[in-house]
Amino acid sequence: MSETFKIIGAEMSPFSVKVRSYFRFKQIAHQWIVRTPEIQEQYKALFKIPVIPLLVSPDGAGMQDSTPILERIESRFAEPTAQPEDPALAFVSSLLEEFGDEWGNKWMFHLRWAREVDQLSSAWRLATVRSAAASEAERMQIAGAVRERMVDRVWFVGSNETTAPQIESGFDQALQQLELHLQNRCYLLGDRPALADFGLAPQIYNAWTDPTGGALISAAYPSVLAWIQRMLFPRVEGDFEGWDSLQSTLAPFLKTQVGERFLPWSDANQKALLAGEAEFTVALSDGAWTQKPQKYHAKSLEVLRDKYQPLTEIPSLTQLLEAVNCHSWLQRH
């Protein structure tokens, strides 16, 4: 039996890039397979929900959802580890990974489909992958259909006339904070990648591949650009740092992006689902946020709270989370 994994995904899927980068870091034998119509039957035989990436293990079993994939592989291939030994920092890493998956995806998806220049670029790239053998005229027709369908889906990440300025100003603020934090280190928690990097970097990398995000990042954020490119082939460059050395530049990011935006939104989203509401509004640090509730996000918040519960008696973690306005949102109600 072959010991090679297969990753069925796409370059324009940040979650696919996340899993691929992780396998490269672990130096686990794998085959990168772009999801095209030619491999659709192989994909359909194994997927549970129609999303990518799909990881196919050497025994032929399929797995989806990037975070459980990384956690399962981490338990099987321990070295090089992608988590600090310090349980407090390991939880911060998991928190940032979840933030990247859920809130970082809002940045990427909104920027990709908010403006005509990005819509045209992204739709054409997707059409080219899906129909490489088609004529230019046929691809133009496919690109038009892709554009129409995807622009109508921005509501899924909460992008609308009210929230668009918040998404974009929050992204710019995050880039400024990350630029400062990454000036003298290779990765978010030091000089070796953690789950935090695998969750957040692919979202920003995908934003960089589009015209608007690419121009913004390339023009003003060289350390961020170096980081997201480094994360395509991540490797150990040194050690994880302690919170004492990370705090001055990482705490502001955690406070404003995670504690004042992501977690209050996550909690409100869960409450809206439990109440059966068709739409919810929550007051965030930069204004009111309104969108339809999302089921998966409520599930992932519960998983995050489950991870925190065994760590509630660690004073250093409690103090850290309280200082960045995250602690109260991680409590069970």
Side-chain angles (χ1 to χ4, degrees):
M1 180 185 297
S2 170
E3 290 301 314
T4 300
F5 288 81
K6 297 178 181 178
I7 303 171
I8 299 177
E11 197 73 23
M12 292 181 71
S13 159
F15 301 103
S16 298
V17 173
K18 172 184 176 181
V19 172
R20 184 185 65 185
S21 292
Y22 180 80
F23 269 70
R24 287 173 173 173
F25 170 65
K26 288 286 188 177
Q27 298 184 31
I28 300 169
H30 65 278
Q31 182 182 5
W32 171 252
I33 302 173
V34 178
R35 183 187 170 188
T36 62
E38 288 72 23
I39 60 98
Q40 185 64 10
E41 291 305 313
Q42 178 183 354
Y43 172 78
K44 287 171 63 177
L46 292 168
F47 82 90
K48 293 182 179 179
I49 53 176
V51 298
I52 49 176
L54 170 65
L55 178 69
V56 184
S57 65
D59 63 5
M63 283 188 63
Q64 292 177 289
D65 196 338
S66 64
T67 297
I69 287 173
L70 267 59
E71 290 175 344
R72 184 173 298 186
I73 298 300
E74 187 74 11
S75 67
R76 179 176 170 184
F77 298 87
E79 296 296 333
T81 181
Q83 283 288 67
E85 290 185 12
D86 179 357
L89 277 183
F91 180 77
V92 168
S93 178
S94 295
L95 177 60
L96 285 169
E97 184 208 13
E98 183 68 13
F99 169 83
D101 284 354
E102 307 300 334
W103 196 266
N105 188 246
K106 294 181 185 298
W107 298 334
M108 187 283 299
F109 202 84
H110 165 79
L111 287 172
R112 177 162 287 174
W113 301 108
R115 295 172 174 82
E116 184 179 39
V117 62
D118 300 288
Q119 294 169 10
L120 292 173
S121 171
S122 298
W124 177 256
R125 289 161 64 199
L126 285 168
T128 300
V129 171
R130 296 177 185 180
S131 54
S135 67
E136 184 172 350
E138 290 170 331
R139 266 186 272 173
M140 287 292 291
Q141 186 175 11
I142 294 169
V146 168
R147 179 187 179 191
E148 182 177 357
R149 182 172 70 254
M150 298 305 289
V151 169
D152 284 343
R153 294 189 64 193
V154 294
W155 64 267
F156 186 78
V157 297
S159 173
N160 53 55
E161 290 184 3
T162 302
T163 62
Q166 294 167 265
I167 294 172
E168 296 192 9
S169 63
F171 183 50
D172 195 45
Q173 181 189 46
L175 290 175
Q176 293 176 41
Q177 293 168 329
L178 289 171
E179 180 66 21
L180 182 63
H181 180 66
L182 291 164
Q183 281 182 354
N184 297 306
R185 55 179 57 90
C186 295
Y187 303 102
L188 292 176
L189 300 184
D191 286 333
R192 59 186 301 156
L195 293 183
D197 299 275
F198 291 106
L200 186 54
Q203 302 291 344
I204 300 177
Y205 164 73
N206 254 264
W208 173 73
T209 66
D210 297 326
T212 298
L216 176 64
I217 295 167
S218 296
Y221 303 107
S223 297
V224 173
L225 179 56
W227 169 59
I228 60 176
Q229 292 180 333
R230 187 180 299 118
M231 279 301 297
L232 294 176
F233 291 90
R235 62 182 185 180
V236 175
E237 306 280 357
D239 295 322
F240 290 121
E241 297 176 38
W243 180 246
D244 287 346
S245 63
L246 295 168
Q247 181 178 5
S248 64
T249 50
L250 189 55
F253 181 89
L254 282 166
K255 182 178 181 180
T256 59
Q257 304 301 332
V258 183
E260 296 178 356
R261 288 189 176 96
F262 171 56
L263 288 178
W265 168 84
S266 298
D267 185 69
N269 176 76
Q270 183 188 59
K271 289 176 179 176
L273 280 169
L274 291 173
E277 297 173 357
E279 189 174 80
F280 71 95
T281 299
V282 57
L284 302 182
S285 60
D286 49 0
W289 180 287
T290 299
Q291 76 165 94
K292 298 177 182 179
Q294 299 298 312
K295 291 182 180 179
Y296 181 81
H297 302 320
K299 177 182 176 182
S300 65
L301 175 61
E302 281 305 296
V303 171
L304 194 58
R305 286 171 171 164
D306 286 342
K307 290 178 180 178
Y308 176 61
Q309 293 313 300
L311 308 174
T312 54
E313 300 303 317
I314 301 177
S316 61
L317 178 57
T318 300
Q319 294 168 8
L320 188 163
L321 293 174
E322 286 178 342
V324 295
N325 292 350
C326 291
H327 185 258
S328 63
W329 304 111
L330 295 167
Q331 306 301 304
R332 293 216 174 276
H333 299 295

